[in-house]
Amino acid sequence: RVVKNVTGYDLSKLVTGSFGTLAALTEVTLKVLPAAEKARTLLLFGLDDRAAVAAMSRALGSAHEISGAAHLPPDIAKGSGVSYIAGAGGAVTALRLEGHGPSVEARLEALRGELKDLGQSEELHSKNTAALWREIADVTYLVEHADRVVWKVSVAPTHGPEVVAAITARVEARYLLDWGGGLILLSMPAGEGGWADELRGAVAKVGGHATLLRAPEALRRQISVFHPQPEPLAALTARVKDSFDPRRILNPGRMYSGV
């Protein structure tokens, strides 16, 4: 454990994700870790969104060191390149474990026992585990139609199903839940302004933010990519920008108008 007394900005965290609006990086140092010796994924079948989030929360709150937790609704699961998932005939919830071989096997068996009340389960070995989580990371299921809008929504995991229900009641949307339900990735028609107001309105009710990942060029010029900030946070953002870029020469307007 490291304890630091820091005065001023934590620069590494501040610059990360600033899209070049605060500084120009001339050197980057990365810390890397060895790849896991073994990876396994436990699949649970047929859970609805709320039950899946509850199951993922149970797993993530356990002592089994879950490294990934995602839920694929039926229409998403059937598009997977992993046969166990594509052929499931319904929703699939995936829980990944990584580490040394004996540890992974023991933790997987224990987790499977703890979640046996949720019904049938299956195990993916390393090759299929890598394929599945690459699909999820690349949002492969949602990018096949270039004319659709893709959104990334971050909320508390327990609110994920609520936001999904609110938006799917109004528009045809395809989605998946990652990060235990705290990250929602949605694909929707480009009409009606990309449904930005409706989606951000649903997110505002529970707290969180919705970021536009992809849209036709004309629509991108109409919609703010990043979630609008409350007035106090917007003022803080402007003060940070003033500290780093008082002349507004570094990617002006890239994240928010005026900064």
Side-chain angles (χ1 to χ4, degrees), residues 75-76 141-142 144 148 172-176 185-187:
D75 63 323
I76 296 294
Y141 318 103
L142 303 181
E144 67 275 20
R148 289 174 66 89
E172 179 273 315
R174 304 184 71 224
Y175 66 93
L176 64 96
L185 294 157
L186 302 105
S187 166

Side-chain angles (χ1 to χ4, degrees), residues 149 151 189-198 200 212 214-226 228 253 255 257:
V149 178
W151 290 91
E192 301 296 330
W195 300 90
D197 292 342
E198 291 78 5
R200 285 176 168 157
L212 180 64
R214 192 188 73 177
E217 188 60 35
L219 192 58
R220 289 183 70 87
R221 290 195 291 267
Q222 301 173 26
I223 302 174
S224 173
V225 170
F226 295 93
M255 295 183 71
S257 176

Side-chain angles (χ1 to χ4, degrees), residues 98-245:
E98 298 175 297
H100 296 297
S103 171
V104 170
E105 297 294 348
R107 286 185 282 131
L108 178 64
E109 190 62 28
L111 179 64
R112 202 166 191 171
E114 287 186 21
L115 300 181
K116 64 182 179 181
D117 59 303
L118 298 178
Q120 178 190 2
S121 64
E122 186 58 76
E123 173 188 343
L124 294 183
H125 286 233
S126 294
K127 183 178 180 180
N128 281 333
T129 286
L132 168 62
W133 292 97
R134 176 51 56 193
E135 290 178 351
I136 294 171
D138 290 345
V139 203
T140 303
Y141 318 103
L142 303 181
V143 298
E144 67 275 20
H145 299 295
D147 60 338
R148 289 174 66 89
V149 178
V150 179
W151 290 91
K152 178 179 74 172
V153 177
S154 296
V155 293
T158 52
H159 292 311
E162 181 181 344
V163 172
V164 165
I167 197 64
T168 54
R170 304 192 63 177
V171 59
E172 179 273 315
R174 304 184 71 224
Y175 66 93
L176 64 96
L177 303 176
D178 199 358
W179 298 359
L183 175 65
I184 311 166
L185 294 157
L186 302 105
S187 166
M188 298 186 290
E192 301 296 330
W195 300 90
D197 292 342
E198 291 78 5
L199 178 59
R200 285 176 168 157
V203 171
K205 292 179 180 178
V206 300
H209 55 268
T211 303
L212 180 64
L213 291 185
R214 192 188 73 177
E217 188 60 35
L219 192 58
R220 289 183 70 87
R221 290 195 291 267
Q222 301 173 26
I223 302 174
S224 173
V225 170
F226 295 93
H227 201 89
Q229 294 181 317
E231 188 174 335
L233 185 57
L236 176 60
T237 299
R239 291 201 300 273
V240 171
K241 179 70 169 175
D242 285 338
S243 297
F244 283 82
D245 182 24

